[in-house]
Amino acid sequence: MANVSRRFVGTLVLLMLSFGLLLGSLIAQDASPVDADAAAAAEAKRREDLLKTSPLPLQPETAPDLFEAAVLMVDLARPQLARLYLDQLMELKPDAQTLLDLRLKYGPAEFMKLANIKELQPVSSDLLEEVNRLMAERTSDPVRIQQLVADLGGTNEQRLLAEHELKNGGQAIIVPLLNMLQHSPTPEEERNILHILVLLGHRAEAPLVAALDMPDDDIRAGLISVLGHVGSRETLNHLWYFANSPKVPAGVKAAARDAIARIVKMDAGRLAESPVESVVTELNRLARLHYQHKYDWLVDDDGNVSLWVWKREAESVVLVKVLPRVASNIVGSKFARQALALSPERRDIQVLFLSMTLAADGMLAGWDKPLPTGPGTAHDLSLVAGEDVVADVLSEALKGGQIANAVAALRVLGQIGTLRMVRSADAGRSPVLAALNYPDTRVQFAAAGTVMQLDPQAKFPGVDRVIGILSRALTGQGKPVALVIDPNSDRASQMSGFLNELGYVPHLRSTGREGFRFASENADVELVFIHPSTVKWPLSSTLTNFRADSRTASIPIVLYGPEEFAGRMHRYVEDNPLVTYFGLTGTTQGLQAQLTPFLKNLTAPPLNEEQRAIQAEVASYWLAHIAEGQRTKIYDLQAAVPSLLVAAHNVPLTENCLLALGTIASREAQQKMAELLLDEGVETRLRATAAIQLAFHIQRHGLVVSNEQIAQIHEMWETPGDPALHTAVGAVIGSLRPNSRLVGERLQEFQEQPALELIQP
């Protein structure tokens, strides 16, 4: 009875709670309009009370008066009143002209001051954003600018006002002014435009330097004259060519010489014309400075450079944000082109120009795409430049760490190179052979492919490296691998968990020696994490071995440990962009925050899954090519057996792996072919290939498959299935050298009489 009572009371309580919640909800819904009105009334009362404290004798009502009042209240340290006046201003929804008039009256500083006061946000910051947008539209309006230029020829008052407006327009008016220059202005308009550009001062320098690439020499001469007034010492670099080249018109040359004289504060008559070779030397120096990425660009918080460039399609200059290496390629290519124009037969200039052209196409294509080909591309230009020039491009790339250029040059040499690139006598001078040991897997693989295309007919220095590179690439598939070397298993497990969440397949090794062995044998290793307490090699020995071996030299290494270890690790990190130190982090996000900028700054991003798969397919093709083309006298495929055995199960690679395994005198190779033949999960086509290669291998190297596998092959023969596979299995049976009795039995089992089919009815 007591239990029943408790259940009844509990049910009653639940019903009462439910009814109470429902009633409360209904009351809230009914009361919401009342609450809204009450809130509005309370806000009105608050404003009224606040206005009573205002020191102003009359309350402002218009947009200009409200803004002036807000500014005054800020000066009087009354932010609440200032916010109220700004709210009232925005509630009026002032039109564009009203806001522009306020901006012109008070200037940008007052709006920025209001926007930075926390109590006035977000109203003040929204107002600043809107005013800036309107000013940008107004300043760059070509119709307005054209009218202002026309006003320069009006009354004295019109001229002064127009000058003031245009000068305050800053860089925003440069593009419209350049457009006016290109559309046949009158002589007076042209003089006025150039005058305004001079008034803009240093703000016009960068856009006008970019505009020197325009095709009109007359306009170019005028812009160079302006640069003489607004340019800095940096501008001189862009004037040397025009001041000294015999290929530019006299007017442009004179303007450039006058501009240089003005910048260096020297009389133009005393400024001697520089010898062409000295100009070429300077332009070459400038181009190389950019090619080697040693120019000190000013970058923003995102690591980008703001660069003015001439856009041929737009027939104007535009401001772009690009990475420093892209900016250097754009500017450096210009210097290299000018040097080439002055000295077209100098080999070093040819090489530099072609190098920068290849780099530009590579940047446009991206790391995951091959270089574009066809008319007007750097690739096709390299083809006609010849072997010697492209070989020098490769040497420069290897020397300067230009990985994309090295890969591009190697691919071109594979098409136009000759055997002297791999001859023993030329080995010391061959950049292709040097590339086989370059500390980057992309370069190594491209070099191996180039050697295969050159198709040497005799052994050469580095022949074993080719097989090693192809073998390593053969197993480089799947997700990127991160290796963790740490004697502390708990700490290593935590780090591997973070790396797994970031998309890596973590592998743990407890000693430096074991870690190095794993990294040198696995092409998928994209990152190595090492704790400073590593043993059986200590840290210094582990790093030395990683960097000394071409298979591991290019793998980024992260040393990780306590924050206080950072100073002690400085000697390992200094001057080595592929090594860094991370303080221990307790979260995946903490690791990612340190890892992302480190990887971004590397010269080449890690290979992605698709790129590794492509490399593996190409590697399998070349290994099969060696086997089929009777090139095993040059290349020893025995070293590739471990990789071939693993890759043979990767369907896109299976056929090529079988072709290669068929020529290698190896017990494991023959057993792998028998294994694939007997595996019913393998495609019938590939099983047939395995059977053909197995028969060939048995004939050439003898029988080493197990008795069990032989019995299974006999069973396959006794159970016919796919005709092509059955035929291939027959070749294996025949290669087993059956005795006379067994041959007789098999012949008698054949019941068909093919000859009877020849008799016509």
Side-chain angles (χ1 to χ4, degrees):
M1 183 68 181
N3 289 339
V4 173
S5 299
R6 279 196 294 272
R7 283 199 299 272
F8 174 75
V9 171
T11 303
L12 181 61
V13 169
L14 287 173
L15 287 172
M16 291 175 67
L17 285 172
S18 300
F19 178 74
L21 290 172
L22 177 62
L23 181 61
S25 175
L26 292 172
I27 292 173
Q29 291 178 17
D30 289 342
S32 58
V34 176
D35 289 347
D37 291 343
E43 173 61 15
K45 181 70 167 58
R46 184 191 70 82
R47 289 190 176 194
E48 183 180 349
D49 292 342
L50 191 57
L51 287 173
K52 289 179 181 178
T53 67
S54 173
L56 299 178
L58 295 173
Q59 292 305 316
E61 296 181 355
T62 65
D65 290 343
L66 286 166
F67 186 80
E68 184 178 6
V71 170
L72 178 59
M73 291 305 107
V74 167
D75 293 339
L76 295 176
R78 301 290 299 275
Q80 288 184 316
L81 271 172
R83 171 62 185 265
L84 175 58
Y85 290 135
L86 283 181
D87 284 337
Q88 291 178 337
L89 167 64
M90 299 306 284
E91 286 166 7
L92 291 179
K93 294 183 169 44
D95 60 22
Q97 189 57 52
T98 299
L99 292 177
L100 285 171
D101 289 343
L102 289 173
R103 169 63 171 72
L104 291 172
K105 178 179 179 180
Y106 290 93
E110 207 64 64
F111 285 87
M112 291 182 66
K113 182 174 77 173
L114 297 180
N116 290 326
I117 298 174
K118 188 175 181 180
E119 292 87 348
L120 307 185
Q121 297 170 352
V123 179
S124 58
S125 54
D126 290 344
L127 177 61
L128 173 64
E129 185 178 339
E130 178 64 12
V131 167
N132 285 343
R133 185 186 67 80
L134 292 171
M135 280 299 297
E137 290 180 358
R138 180 177 185 271
T139 301
S140 59
D141 179 13
V143 175
R144 174 178 170 276
I145 291 173
Q146 194 164 9
Q147 181 58 54
L148 289 173
V149 171
D151 289 347
L152 292 173
T155 64
N156 189 51
E157 183 180 353
Q158 287 176 317
R159 180 178 59 79
L160 291 175
L161 181 59
E163 277 190 0
H164 176 76
E165 288 280 313
L166 289 167
K167 185 177 179 180
N168 287 338
Q171 288 185 335
I173 70 168
I174 291 178
V175 171
L177 290 177
L178 290 176
N179 289 339
M180 289 179 64
L181 279 176
Q182 294 179 86
H183 291 86
S184 304
T186 65
E188 183 182 5
E189 286 175 332
E190 183 176 345
R191 284 193 301 272
N192 287 335
I193 291 171
L194 296 178
H195 171 64
I196 292 301
L197 290 173
V198 170
L199 290 181
L200 289 175
H202 72 277
R203 293 173 294 177
E205 180 180 4
L208 295 189
V209 165
L212 296 182
D213 286 339
M214 69 167 52
D216 191 310
D217 283 318
D218 291 335
I219 298 177
R220 184 184 289 117
L223 298 182
I224 288 175
S225 296
V226 174
L227 284 169
H229 292 273
V230 305
S232 63
R233 290 274 177 173
E234 182 73 18
T235 302
L236 295 175
N237 297 332
H238 301 274
L239 298 179
W240 295 127
Y241 172 78
F242 298 108
N244 295 281
S245 171
K247 300 180 181 181
V248 301
V252 174
K253 178 182 285 191
R257 288 174 58 76
D258 287 343
I260 291 173
R262 184 179 292 275
I263 292 172
V264 300
K265 296 178 172 55
M266 181 183 292
D267 182 80
R270 296 173 52 203
L271 188 67
E273 185 169 344
S274 304
V276 170
E277 277 308 309
S278 66
V279 177
V280 171
T281 300
E282 177 61 11
L283 293 173
N284 185 30
R285 184 192 70 81
L286 292 168
R288 289 189 181 280
L289 185 70
H290 285 282
Y291 177 68
Q292 295 166 359
H293 303 308
K294 293 181 178 179
Y295 184 82
D296 188 19
W297 289 104
L298 179 66
V299 298
D300 59 21
D301 292 339
D302 296 325
N304 291 320
V305 174
S306 294
L307 183 70
W308 285 93
V309 296
W310 173 262
K311 282 279 190 176
R312 191 182 313 144
E313 303 81 10
E315 295 185 336
S316 185
V317 293
V318 296
L319 182 64
V320 296
K321 286 186 174 295
V322 293
L323 292 171
R325 61 187 181 88
V326 177
S328 276
N329 187 269
I330 293 170
V331 177
S333 293
K334 186 188 302 185
F335 291 136
R337 182 180 291 277
Q338 291 176 347
L340 185 67
L342 293 175
S343 188
E345 295 184 4
R346 266 184 59 171
R347 170 70 70 80
D348 60 332
I349 303 295
Q350 295 171 351
V351 170
L352 180 60
F353 177 72
L354 186 56
S355 295
M356 302 205 76
T357 306
L358 281 170
D361 272 16
M363 289 175 192
L364 288 173
W367 279 103
D368 57 340
K369 300 290 188 303
L371 275 181
T373 59
T377 63
H379 176 274
D380 283 27
L381 182 62
S382 301
L383 291 176
V384 299
E387 178 187 34
D388 291 340
V389 172
V390 179
D392 285 349
V393 169
L394 174 57
S395 295
E396 286 280 342
L398 297 178
K399 191 188 307 179
Q402 303 283 344
I403 293 172
N405 272 19
V407 171
L410 283 163
R411 288 173 178 166
V412 171
L413 285 173
Q415 296 175 266
I416 66 172
T418 62
L419 285 174
R420 71 188 181 91
M421 288 285 108
V422 292
R423 278 202 305 248
S424 297
D426 299 307
R429 299 187 300 274
S430 171
V432 173
L433 296 183
L436 290 172
N437 292 296
Y438 188 78
D440 181 84
T441 54
R442 280 184 175 89
V443 174
Q444 292 176 13
F445 190 77
T450 298
V451 170
M452 294 306 303
Q453 285 180 285
L454 295 175
D455 199 14
Q457 302 300 306
K459 285 185 176 291
F460 56 91
V463 63
D464 293 336
R465 284 291 300 134
V466 173
I467 297 301
I469 292 166
L470 296 178
S471 299
R472 195 164 185 267
L474 199 61
T475 56
Q477 301 157 68
K479 290 184 177 180
V481 169
L483 171 64
V484 179
I485 303 175
D486 193 333
N488 185 307
S489 58
D490 292 338
R491 190 171 53 216
S493 296
Q494 182 188 42
M495 180 60 72
S496 68
F498 295 155
L499 292 167
N500 183 61
E501 290 184 28
L502 292 177
Y504 292 91
V505 177
H507 284 261
L508 277 59
R509 294 294 184 272
S510 59
T511 70
R513 183 188 294 114
E514 292 172 351
F516 170 75
R517 184 181 299 116
F518 178 85
S520 64
E521 294 172 354
N522 291 271
D524 285 340
V525 177
E526 299 287 2
L527 272 175
V528 176
F529 281 73
I530 306 177
H531 193 274
S533 64
T534 182
V535 295
K536 293 184 181 177
W537 296 336
L539 179 60
S540 58
S541 299
T542 301
L543 289 174
T544 298
N545 281 282
F546 265 92
R547 287 296 166 252
D549 193 294
S550 59
R551 297 170 295 176
T552 58
S554 63
I555 302 176
I557 295 176
V558 175
L559 309 177
Y560 71 100
E563 290 284 356
E564 56 268 24
F565 276 24
R568 293 159 57 183
M569 295 297 106
H570 180 69
R571 64 190 179 102
Y572 299 114
V573 176
E574 189 177 15
D575 298 328
N576 194 334
L578 290 175
V579 179
T580 190
Y581 185 82
F582 289 175
L584 279 172
T585 176
T587 65
T588 303
Q589 292 75 18
L591 176 62
Q592 187 173 29
Q594 298 179 83
L595 188 58
T596 299
F598 171 56
L599 294 180
K600 182 180 178 182
N601 290 329
L602 298 181
T603 54
L607 291 168
N608 59 37
E609 187 173 344
E610 180 184 2
Q611 291 167 337
R612 285 192 297 272
I614 291 172
Q615 278 199 359
E617 288 195 49
V618 173
S620 71
Y621 166 81
W622 284 126
L623 291 170
H625 176 76
I626 291 171
E628 287 191 303
Q630 302 299 314
R631 294 170 178 81
T632 50
K633 294 179 180 179
I634 303 171
Y635 303 98
D636 183 8
L637 288 178
Q638 190 71 41
V641 169
S643 296
L644 287 167
L645 294 176
V646 173
H649 290 280
N650 188 350
V651 173
L653 314 181
T654 301
E655 187 166 11
N656 282 330
C657 289
L658 286 168
L659 293 174
L661 287 169
T663 65
I664 303 172
S666 162
R667 175 185 296 274
E668 294 83 4
Q670 192 174 117
Q671 290 175 342
K672 179 61 66 176
M673 289 183 278
E675 178 186 327
L676 290 170
L677 167 61
L678 296 169
D679 188 346
E680 295 182 358
V682 175
E683 286 182 40
T684 300
R685 173 182 61 85
L686 297 177
R687 294 177 73 190
T689 301
I692 293 169
Q693 292 303 311
L694 176 59
F696 170 72
H697 198 276
I698 292 172
Q699 289 173 340
R700 187 173 183 181
H701 303 294
L703 180 64
V704 293
V705 296
S706 66
N707 291 332
E708 181 183 358
Q709 288 177 319
I710 292 173
Q712 291 175 319
I713 292 171
H714 278 293
E715 186 178 343
M716 280 188 68
W717 171 259
E718 300 294 342
T719 312
D722 181 84
L725 178 57
H726 188 262
T727 300
V729 172
V732 179
I733 298 292
S735 70
L736 296 176
R737 295 178 184 157
N739 57 38
S740 299
R741 181 184 60 79
L742 188 56
V743 172
E745 289 177 359
R746 289 173 180 168
L747 292 175
Q748 290 180 69
E749 289 172 359
F750 189 72
Q751 301 296 324
E752 298 294 332
Q753 301 181 51
L756 294 178
E757 297 179 8
L758 300 176
I759 302 174
Q760 298 297 323

